[in-house]
Amino acid sequence: MSVEKILSSWKKGNFKPVYWLEGEEEYFIDRVMQYAEHEILTESEAGFNLSIFYGKDANWADVVNACMRYPMFAERQVILLKEAQQMKDIDKLENYISRPLASTIFVISYKEKKVDGRSKLAKILKENGEVLTTKKLYENQLPEWVTEQAADRGITFSPKAVMLLVEHVGNDLSRLSNEMEKLELNAGSQKNISAGDIEKFIGISKEYNAFELQDAIARKDLVRAIKIINYFEQNPRANPIQLILPSVYNYFSKLATAYALPEITEQSLKPLFYNNIFAARQALDAVKQYSYPEIEKVILLLHHYNLRSIGIHDNGTAHASLLKELAVKIISREN
């Protein structure tokens, strides 16, 4: 079951006695737990009927005893077990889960792990509750996720604004959500978020960032590339080489993949570049600039300079100098 289906059923007043939330993506688990904690019961009901346990400190018997109580002045009670992956003897909950109390909503967060599907616990959960298994989103899913989340908030992002936000934050849905909330609050009545808004409210320069450096190299614009790297040199914490090189490497790896397509067009490139037409157009221009053998050489260069950036075959060259040297070799074809 998905997060949306669980929350939708709860909003309609439909509850199962047990919910097991597991897997890699904490953001989805936290969304369900927060709703369970703050929305299922009214404020007056929660005072008597909401109990929260933490796996590291909780005793299984105390959790079960809480689940077995009947609600006071309410139709149901909510028991939350957070960080259950840290709980000792968690298998001792099996007896309760096999015969849960209908008036108790027991929600368990089991982060970073999954229950063994062959175990007795997995079978009991399937019979008596709902299991939410979460996964990290792939990189190419992030722009679509940002766009959908923005729509839920009643705002829209320009294609470039989406790319800037995703490139800056990466695969951290909690941070992405927080940054979007910050944008929404600061934008006020404005509903269309531009790259300029990203720069103004989040502090990501719309002209000097890894995405723009990648574009300058792709267009073989050495003057612009050096200008961006000079900005990085003045702001090393905001633009560390450990983030820049993987970003450029991933980009050229996708360009290499483009050459395997039956036809290279904006539409055929979109799935490789987050289904973002803005990024697909830039990629199409880049393919016109670089042949497949040239892209292979660029990828080898990036690997070499990544090793140098961590001190392998290098005696401490400044990161900005490494980036300038790399840009010159790629763009001037000295590779």
Side-chain angles (χ1 to χ4, degrees), residues 44-82:
S44 60
E45 289 174 336
F48 294 100
N49 299 289
L50 174 65
S51 299
I52 302 173
F53 296 90
Y54 292 86
K56 186 176 181 180
D57 305 313
N59 178 282
W60 70 268
D62 293 336
V63 175
V64 170
N65 286 336
C67 289
M68 292 297 293
R69 289 197 306 260
Y70 286 95
M72 295 179 62
F73 313 114
E75 185 179 350
R76 58 184 62 90
Q77 67 163 345
V78 175
I79 308 296
L80 304 181
L81 176 56
K82 299 183 178 183

Side-chain angles (χ1 to χ4, degrees), residues 207 212-213 215-216 219 221-229:
E207 295 182 16
E212 291 299 326
L213 176 62
D215 183 59
R219 295 177 184 275
D221 187 340
L222 183 58
V223 172
R224 181 167 161 237
I226 297 301
K227 188 177 180 181
I228 293 169
I229 294 168

Side-chain angles (χ1 to χ4, degrees), residues 159-165 167-168 204-218 224 228 232 239 244 247-248 251 273-274 276 278-279 282:
K160 188 171 182 179
V162 171
M163 297 303 298
L164 276 177
L165 189 61
E167 288 285 343
H168 177 71
I204 310 168
S205 172
K206 66 178 180 180
E207 295 182 16
Y208 304 104
N209 54 71
F211 180 71
E212 291 299 326
L213 176 62
Q214 168 185 292
D215 183 59
I217 292 174
R224 181 167 161 237
I228 293 169
F232 291 170
N239 301 279
I244 295 167
S247 174
V248 180
Y251 186 76
F273 293 92
Y274 321 107
N276 186 308
F278 175 77
Q282 289 188 323

Side-chain angles (χ1 to χ4, degrees), residues 15 20 50 67 90 99 150 187 191 202 214 248 284 297-298 314 324:
F15 301 96
W20 180 275
L50 174 65
C67 289
I90 194 167
R99 294 183 297 276
K191 297 302 179 183
I202 296 183
Q214 168 185 292
V248 180
L284 186 61
K297 291 178 182 179
V298 170
D314 190 274
K324 290 175 185 177

Side-chain angles (χ1 to χ4, degrees), residues 147-160:
T147 302
E148 290 175 352
Q149 292 297 306
D152 289 343
R153 296 170 183 268
I155 56 178
T156 60
F157 279 67
S158 72
K160 188 171 182 179

Side-chain angles (χ1 to χ4, degrees), residues 157 161 164-165 183 193-204:
F157 279 67
L164 276 177
L165 189 61
L183 282 164
I193 304 299
S194 67
D197 297 319
I198 299 287
E199 179 175 34
K200 182 179 179 181
F201 299 127
I202 296 183
I204 310 168

Side-chain angles (χ1 to χ4, degrees), residues 16-22 90 93-94 96-98 100 106-108 110 114-117 119-133:
K16 291 289 184 71
V18 179
Y19 293 86
W20 180 275
L21 318 174
E22 65 179 18
I90 194 167
L93 300 178
E94 290 175 2
Y96 172 77
I97 295 173
S98 66
F106 185 24
V107 189
I108 306 123
Y110 194 75
K114 293 195 296 183
V115 65
D116 186 342
S119 67
K120 178 182 176 183
L121 177 58
K123 295 174 183 176
I124 293 171
L125 285 168
K126 187 175 181 180
E127 292 171 359
N128 298 293
E130 292 287 356
V131 177
L132 171 68
T133 301

